[in-house]
């Protein structure tokens, strides 16, 4: 239900709490009933799943078929070379993606958020995941709002809600405000504080009204989870390339078979000729070359503190040709900056402003 159009006392009554906060027994009971204040995580890919995914590519399928055919025609050198290429490609890709996943998991365990709460009249600092409905949370400058809150009291409170609303200007909150309209936009609910936003100034108290997926940021997370996955541009191009190779090999094979039959060439010799041509036409080194290039790019990104979970996403970012943004410039650095300023003596640009004496 909505709480922005209810008085503070009404919210206390509905959530069965008080200005002294919840009791320890009530906290335990509600944690069991409502669960922890966390968003669900995507299922982790195991080492073997990552390894298996390295072979899920049309060009890999073609190379594998080529290796099998090479064994059949007793071209062991080509067969072993193709298998070596497939193994090296899988090892490099698996190492990069598995190590990136391990680093990301380590960061999740290192970076934890805490919240100041009042329980049984005593101020405590607890992990944000242990908040539950009815908890009384204390906010101050620099705090991250840990859950959706109905403000109980506020003093010169300004909160940055750009994560939710896209508006970079801090919102002046007022705990005493009561809306008559239940359907007003999130940005206009000035008596509420929402999970994921940051307190830029002031202090406040608030009652937890929603946790986890029930928060506004949780609803956005659900929508993102429902969105279908899109293939990276590199994957799409590799699939198209593999299909084109298969078509060309098929057409050339048909022409050779037709000419061979016309020239009365033995079918056994003709078969080996066509198979040898097909195997030699496949670029065995292409997957390794692509994987090595993407691995090198991943290493560069990691030195710049960027973790890349899937190698193909590196090329996907580089293929971006247009970024659509709303009027607030949500995809910018979310701050104003001076590009140039004018003095009676000179026009200073941003790169010169550092050393300029004004």
């Amino acid at each position: 239900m909505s709480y922005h159009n209810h008085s503070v006392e009404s919210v206390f009554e509905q959530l069965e709490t008080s200005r002294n906060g919840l009791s320890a027994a009530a906290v335990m009971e509600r944690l069991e009933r409502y669960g922890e204040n966390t968003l669900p995580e995507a299922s982790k890919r195991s080492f073997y799943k990552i390894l298996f995914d390295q072979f899920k590519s049309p060009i890999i399928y073609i190379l594998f078929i080529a290796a099998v055919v090479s064994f059949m025609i007793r071209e062991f050198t080509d067969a072993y070379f193709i298998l070596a290429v497939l193994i090296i490609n899988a090892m490099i890709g698996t190492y990069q993606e598995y190590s990136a996943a391990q680093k990301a998991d380590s960061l999740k365990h290192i970076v934890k958020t805490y919240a100041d709460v009042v329980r049984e009249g005593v101020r405590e600092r607890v992990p944000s995941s242990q908040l539950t409905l009815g908890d009384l949370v204390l906010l101050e400058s620099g705090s991250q709002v840990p859950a959706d809150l109905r403000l109980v009291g506020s003093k010169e409170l300004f909160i940055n809600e750009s994560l939710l609303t896209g508006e970079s200007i801090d919102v002046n909150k007022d705990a005493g405000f009561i809306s008559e309209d239940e359907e007003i936009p999130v940005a206009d609910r000035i008596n509420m504080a929402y999970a994921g936003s940051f307190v830029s100034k002031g202090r406040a108290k608030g009652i937890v009204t929603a946790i986890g997926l029930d928060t506004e940021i949780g609803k956005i997370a659900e929508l993102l989870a429902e969105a279908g996955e899109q293939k990276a541009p590199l994957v799409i191009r590799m699939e198209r390339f593999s299909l084109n190779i298969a078509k060309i090999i098929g057409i050339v094979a048909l022409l050779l078979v037709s000419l061979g039959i016309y020239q009365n060439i033995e079918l056994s010799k003709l078969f080996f000729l066509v198979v040898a041509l097909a195997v030699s036409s496949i670029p065995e080194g292409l997957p390794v070359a692509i994987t090595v290039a993407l691995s090198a790019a991943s290493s560069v990104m990691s030195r710049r503190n960027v973790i890349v979970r899937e190698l193909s996403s590196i090329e996907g970012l580089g293929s971006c040709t247009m970024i659509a943004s709303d009027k607030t410039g949500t995809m910018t650095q979310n701050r104003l900056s001076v590009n140039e300023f004018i003095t009676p003596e000179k026009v200073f640009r941003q790169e010169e402003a550092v050393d300029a004496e004004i």
Side-chain angles (χ1 to χ4, degrees):
M1 62 175 295
S2 61
Y3 293 93
H4 60 273
N5 57 340
H6 292 77
S7 67
V8 172
E9 297 304 325
S10 174
V11 175
F12 273 123
E13 182 178 348
Q14 292 174 39
L15 294 176
E16 299 180 357
T17 184
S18 68
R19 295 183 182 273
N20 289 326
L22 296 172
S23 65
V27 170
M28 293 299 296
E29 188 272 330
R30 296 189 185 196
L31 283 173
E32 291 182 3
R33 188 196 312 176
Y34 302 115
E36 293 188 344
N37 178 34
T38 56
L39 296 178
E41 298 181 2
S43 57
K44 298 179 182 179
R45 292 197 301 166
S46 66
F47 175 84
Y48 298 104
K49 177 67 166 58
I50 295 175
L51 178 61
F52 178 75
D53 288 344
Q54 305 306 313
F55 296 96
K56 294 171 62 176
S57 169
I59 190 69
I60 299 298
Y61 301 154
I62 293 176
L63 288 174
F64 184 76
I65 293 172
V68 173
V69 172
S70 297
F71 275 115
M72 292 174 59
I73 63 176
R74 306 183 69 82
E75 291 288 340
F76 298 114
T77 302
D78 288 342
Y80 288 129
F81 177 77
I82 295 173
L83 288 178
V85 166
L86 295 177
I87 293 172
I88 293 172
N89 178 73
M91 289 174 60
I92 296 175
T94 301
Y95 170 76
Q96 289 290 345
E97 295 189 13
Y98 184 74
S99 60
Q102 293 294 99
K103 291 176 184 177
D105 290 338
S106 298
L107 285 176
K108 288 180 182 178
H109 290 95
I110 293 173
V111 181
K112 293 184 178 180
T113 59
Y114 291 85
D116 292 320
V117 299
V118 176
R119 290 176 176 173
E120 296 182 335
V122 179
R123 178 169 178 163
E124 301 179 17
R125 188 168 181 79
V126 300
S128 298
S129 60
Q130 298 302 304
L131 292 179
T132 188
L133 296 184
D135 258 326
L136 189 60
V137 178
L138 305 177
L139 300 176
E140 57 185 17
S141 297
S143 300
Q144 180 180 2
V145 181
D148 285 2
L149 310 175
R150 169 60 166 94
L151 297 176
V152 174
S154 60
K155 183 177 182 181
E156 298 183 2
L157 181 65
F158 287 83
I159 294 182
N160 187 318
E161 294 181 337
S162 57
L163 179 69
L164 284 173
T165 64
E167 298 292 342
S168 59
I169 300 175
D170 296 341
V171 181
N172 187 3
K173 296 291 186 176
D174 181 10
F177 172 81
I178 299 178
S179 171
E180 297 180 359
D181 183 5
E182 184 178 347
E183 301 298 328
I184 62 172
V186 170
D188 295 333
R189 301 175 187 178
I190 61 174
N191 58 1
M192 299 287 295
Y194 292 101
S197 56
F198 287 88
V199 179
S200 54
K201 181 182 177 183
R203 295 175 178 272
K205 290 182 181 180
I207 312 171
V208 175
T209 59
I211 59 173
L213 284 175
D214 293 328
T215 62
E216 293 298 325
I217 195 70
K219 296 173 184 177
I220 296 176
E222 273 193 307
L223 292 175
L224 291 176
E226 293 173 0
E229 291 186 3
Q230 296 291 327
K231 293 181 179 179
L234 178 62
V235 175
I236 296 174
R237 286 200 291 269
M238 287 296 293
E239 289 180 352
R240 188 183 301 122
F241 176 72
S242 303
L243 182 61
N244 290 336
I245 287 180
K247 289 180 178 178
I248 293 172
I249 292 176
I251 293 172
V252 173
L254 286 175
L255 289 175
L256 285 175
V257 170
S258 300
L259 289 173
I261 293 175
Y262 179 76
Q263 295 290 335
N264 295 321
I265 299 176
E266 293 182 19
L267 290 179
S268 59
K269 294 182 179 179
L270 188 60
F271 171 77
F272 286 113
L273 174 64
V274 171
V275 170
L277 176 65
V279 171
S280 62
S281 301
I282 298 172
E284 295 92 344
L286 180 61
V288 173
I290 293 175
T291 301
V292 169
L294 294 178
S295 297
S298 175
S299 299
V300 174
M301 297 285 278
S302 65
R303 289 197 293 270
R304 299 185 180 182
N305 301 321
V306 177
I307 296 176
V308 180
R309 286 181 176 272
E310 296 185 15
L311 293 179
S312 61
S313 61
I314 298 175
E315 190 272 342
L317 179 61
S319 299
C320 184
T321 57
M322 182 181 69
I323 296 177
S325 176
D326 64 4
K327 63 181 178 61
T328 59
T330 309
M331 300 192 71
T332 65
Q333 294 182 356
N334 199 27
R335 62 181 177 85
L336 298 177
S337 60
V338 176
N339 288 326
E340 66 179 43
F341 61 93
I342 302 172
T343 67
E345 294 80 17
K346 185 181 179 181
V347 176
F348 291 93
R349 301 195 179 278
Q350 186 181 34
E351 58 273 12
E352 303 171 322
V354 175
D355 299 323
E357 294 183 2
I358 305 175

